[in-house]
Amino acid sequence: MIIKTNALVLRFYPFSNTSRVVSWMTPDLGRIVTLVKGSQRPRSLFLGQYDLFYTCELVLYRRERGSMHIARECAPIKVRPRLRRDWKAAATASYLAGLVSQAVPPEAPHEGIFSLLDAALDHLESGGSGSPFLFWFELQLLEQMGLAPRLRRCAACGAALASGPRRTEFAVARGGLLCPDCAGEDRENRARVGSDVLGMLAAWQQARAPQGPLNTRCTSRQRAAIETLLGGFLAYHLDVQPAGRRAALDVLARRVA
Ligand SMILES: [Zn+2]
């Protein structure tokens, strides 16, 4: 079956001397892998038509059996040159695309995740960056996958949590904050989280556009706390050790300093 869809290039690698395997995020088919036959031949119609972090219009032959489809035609819609020129933007984009590659199951249509990554790469292309933006993306991806940390209600019993200045028990395995009653039980895998950090997480979780987190100023202590908390949450709930996260956060922190 021939299908036409928008598609974001997540990664690619050689299949032979002249062909490549390309991994894409699409709204209609989810995360898919295609073979691009002959793409490295000098007169290939695919030359210059796709690259890392491009959003393309892709025509593919969809194979019902087997995991690899066949790319037939491709034309770029957004090429995002900054993401190949600016090291900080490139490191962040690599991490975001890599996280989607690792965390999103294949062949499951998900328009929301496609739109999230497309908007995030647009934001990087326009010069936006910073560790709050990266954390915002992680929270939004978790939300899209139905795994958002529970910050307003107890993750164990569902009771509404009182607000105000305090430190709160965050239970990674339970999926979020615990009320005082539930916090007294099983004490494994807990983090104590300050209300300042919780306020940032809650604000980023609610911000649907990447411009929101730009106004947040994190101290290095807050940044370190959020990095550890969200890193542990991603590892536990998505079962990934996200490649490139450390590198991207190091690069971004140096710019802030
Ligand atoms: Zn509770």
Side-chain angles (χ1 to χ4, degrees), residues 86-167:
D86 171 344
W87 160 239
K88 287 159 184 162
T92 309
S94 292
Y95 168 58
L96 303 189
L99 181 61
V100 168
S101 288
Q102 284 186 285
V104 175
E107 309 274 335
H110 207 310
E111 174 136 30
I113 294 176
F114 171 84
S115 300
L116 171 64
L117 185 57
D118 197 51
L121 295 177
D122 284 348
H123 182 69
L124 287 170
E125 174 65 19
S126 71
S129 192
S131 41
F133 164 70
L134 189 150
F135 298 140
W136 169 84
F137 182 88
E138 293 176 337
L139 285 165
Q140 294 299 317
L141 183 64
L142 286 165
E143 171 97 24
Q144 289 288 342
M145 297 182 74
L147 296 168
R150 300 192 70 180
L151 303 176
R152 296 181 190 284
R153 289 186 168 273
C154 174
C157 73
L161 296 166
S163 59
R166 71 202 186 287
R167 290 170 67 82

Side-chain angles (χ1 to χ4, degrees), residues 174-223:
R174 286 285 199 168
L177 295 177
L178 298 179
C179 71
D181 290 343
C182 295
E185 297 167 12
D186 171 26
R187 307 200 59 79
E188 280 194 35
N189 209 354
R190 294 290 175 79
R192 307 261 306 162
V193 187
S195 57
D196 54 341
V197 163
L198 281 180
M200 288 176 185
L201 291 174
W204 298 336
Q205 201 171 55
Q206 286 196 309
R208 286 291 170 259
Q211 286 74 18
L214 277 182
N215 299 321
T216 318
R217 288 281 166 268
C218 287
T219 65
S220 55
R221 179 191 64 76
Q222 290 165 333
R223 198 165 52 233

